[in-house]
């Protein structure tokens, strides 16, 4: 009975501190809240601290582990109105895994993501997290803003160990697509070396990333886009190359994801203009 009372006291203490960490009504816009890592970092630190207490002071006794689990499940799955813990967690991952963020070693990133995934295991809205994470991962991969391919794979592996292969199958498929795209681009260059590429599309440096529809977020092609003739020739050349490799897949061009660097001259000065495909 004494041990059980102690366990209940741990639950009460945890819940009291967790309530103090809960987000308060704020005039900040939702985008600003999601980009602020402070809240999730406090949760990680708090879980880490209490997990250490349970391990060192109570020898990881099952009753205290159960109390810790119930306390965090109670808080993390509480209705926070316009705030979503799932979105906050995913945005925290995005901030850590993107280029240009806080400088961390690979070991530090791996340790931080392990703690985040431990916290994620308490979340009931795992599917919400997965969808948000998939959209953010897609942007990191397609726009080359991921700080480390290895870190991306490690996070997916941690999620897979927690939730199973089905949960991460699309994420793994996205990583595979990007890896295959690099190999395909090399084969495309080899293909061009055997034909008069200058006649096809001049001096344009052209590359394509082929995505598997089922893995990625839904992107809708815009059929009404009229591209400049040199770019249209580029698409036709790649289509011929791709159709020669497979007869069972059809390419759909998603111009909203395309990027281009256009050389421009203003007077005597040269500039590179970073544009979307639609802007070109």
């Amino acid at each position: 009975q004494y041990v059980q009372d102690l366990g209940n006291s741990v639950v009460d203490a945890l819940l009291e501190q967790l309530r103090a960490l809960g987000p308060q009504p704020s005039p900040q816009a939702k985008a600003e809240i999601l980009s602020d890592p402070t809240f999730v970092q406090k949760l990680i630190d708090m879980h880490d601290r209490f997990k250490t207490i349970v391990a060192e002071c109570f020898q990881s006794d099952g009753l205290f582990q159960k109390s810790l689990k119930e306390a965090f499940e109670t808080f993390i799955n509480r209705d926070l109105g316009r705030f979503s813990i799932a979105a906050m967690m995913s945005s925290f991952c995005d901030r850590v895994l993107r280029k240009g963020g806080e400088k961390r070693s690979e070991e530090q990133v791996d340790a931080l993501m392990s703690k985040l995934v431990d916290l994620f295991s308490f979340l009931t809205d795992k599917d919400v997290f997965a969808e948000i994470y998939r959209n953010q991962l897609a942007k990191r991969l397609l726009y080359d803003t991921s700080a480390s391919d290895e870190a991306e794979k490690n996070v997916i592996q941690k999620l897979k160990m927690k939730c199973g292969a089905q949960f991460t199958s699309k994420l793994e498929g996205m990583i595979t697509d990007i890896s295959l795209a690099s190999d395909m681009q090399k084969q495309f260059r080899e293909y061009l070396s055997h034909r008069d590429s200058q006649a096809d599309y001049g001096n344009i440096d052209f590359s394509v990333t082929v995505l598997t529809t089922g893995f990625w977020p839904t992107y809708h092609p815009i059929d009404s886009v009229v591209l400049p003739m040199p770019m249209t020739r580029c698409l036709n050349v790649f289509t011929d190359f791709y159709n020669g490799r497979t007869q069972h897949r059809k390419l759909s061009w998603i111009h909203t994801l395309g990027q281009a660097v256009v050389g421009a001259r203003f007077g005597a000065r040269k500039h590179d203009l970073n544009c979307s495909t639609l802007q070109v």
Side-chain angles (χ1 to χ4, degrees):
Q1 180 64 41
Y2 176 70
V3 173
Q4 186 174 358
D5 289 343
L6 277 178
N8 291 333
S9 297
V10 170
V11 174
D12 293 340
L14 281 170
L15 289 176
E16 183 178 348
Q17 291 207 29
L18 287 170
R19 290 191 189 100
L21 277 176
Q24 301 299 319
S26 168
Q28 285 179 289
K30 185 174 181 180
E32 294 176 350
I33 294 292
L34 294 180
S35 64
D36 182 4
T38 306
F39 178 79
V40 175
Q41 185 62 59
K42 284 183 178 180
L43 283 181
I44 291 173
D45 293 341
M46 188 173 189
H47 180 249
D48 202 33
R49 183 169 71 253
F50 276 94
K51 189 169 69 170
T52 301
I53 291 173
V54 170
E56 295 182 356
C57 299
F58 302 104
Q59 290 73 51
S60 298
D61 181 83
L63 176 61
F64 291 96
Q65 289 190 17
K66 181 173 180 289
S67 299
L68 182 68
K69 178 176 180 289
E70 290 177 351
F72 273 86
E73 284 178 343
T74 298
F75 171 71
I76 285 180
N77 296 300
R78 188 175 62 182
D79 183 10
L80 299 177
R82 65 193 181 100
F83 300 103
S84 164
I85 295 290
M88 289 180 183
M89 286 185 177
S90 183
S91 295
F92 182 87
C93 291
D94 185 56
R95 186 184 181 93
V96 172
L97 296 172
R98 266 191 291 114
K99 291 178 181 177
E102 184 178 340
K103 296 296 182 183
R104 295 184 177 92
S105 67
E106 290 188 8
E107 292 76 14
Q108 288 174 322
V109 170
D110 187 66
L112 184 58
M113 289 296 95
S114 292
K115 293 177 180 180
L116 189 282
V117 172
D118 283 344
L119 202 63
F120 159 81
S121 65
F122 302 125
L123 193 66
T124 56
D125 290 335
K126 289 182 172 63
D127 290 341
V128 174
F129 172 92
E131 191 60 28
I132 298 172
Y133 189 91
R134 186 163 68 112
N135 279 279
Q136 292 173 331
L137 174 62
K139 291 179 181 178
R140 293 196 299 273
L141 295 178
L142 294 177
Y143 298 125
D144 193 27
T145 59
S146 180
S148 167
D149 293 341
E150 196 62 33
E152 297 285 5
K153 294 176 183 177
N154 287 342
V155 173
I156 293 173
Q157 184 61 30
K158 295 178 194 301
L159 291 171
K160 185 176 182 178
M161 292 178 66
K162 286 287 183 184
C163 302
Q166 185 175 355
F167 185 82
T168 58
S169 60
K170 291 182 179 180
L171 304 179
E172 290 176 306
M174 293 163 67
I175 296 290
T176 300
D177 274 354
I178 295 300
S179 177
L180 293 176
S182 177
D183 294 335
M184 183 174 292
Q185 190 62 29
K186 293 177 183 177
Q187 295 169 14
F188 181 51
R189 297 295 183 195
E190 179 68 19
Y191 171 81
L192 292 178
S193 68
H194 297 297
R195 57 185 291 166
D196 187 3
S197 59
Q198 290 291 319
D200 290 325
Y201 53 81
N203 294 319
I204 295 179
D205 185 8
F206 176 69
S207 63
V208 176
T209 302
V210 178
L211 312 179
T212 304
T213 303
F215 296 149
W216 297 77
T218 301
Y219 302 117
H220 299 288
I222 304 177
D223 297 328
S224 59
V225 174
V226 179
L227 298 175
M229 188 54 65
M231 293 182 67
T232 300
R233 294 195 192 102
C234 291
L235 268 59
N236 291 338
V237 170
F238 187 86
T239 300
D240 291 342
F241 158 75
Y242 189 79
N243 289 342
R245 291 168 48 88
T246 176
Q247 301 297 321
H248 306 291
R249 294 185 177 184
K250 179 183 177 182
L251 288 176
S252 295
W253 296 94
I254 311 298
H255 299 304
T256 52
L257 298 177
Q259 301 177 81
V261 178
V262 180
R265 182 186 294 274
F266 298 96
R269 302 182 64 180
K270 294 182 179 180
H271 298 271
D272 288 336
L273 307 179
N274 293 309
C275 310
S276 68
T277 300
L278 297 182
Q279 289 173 319
V280 175

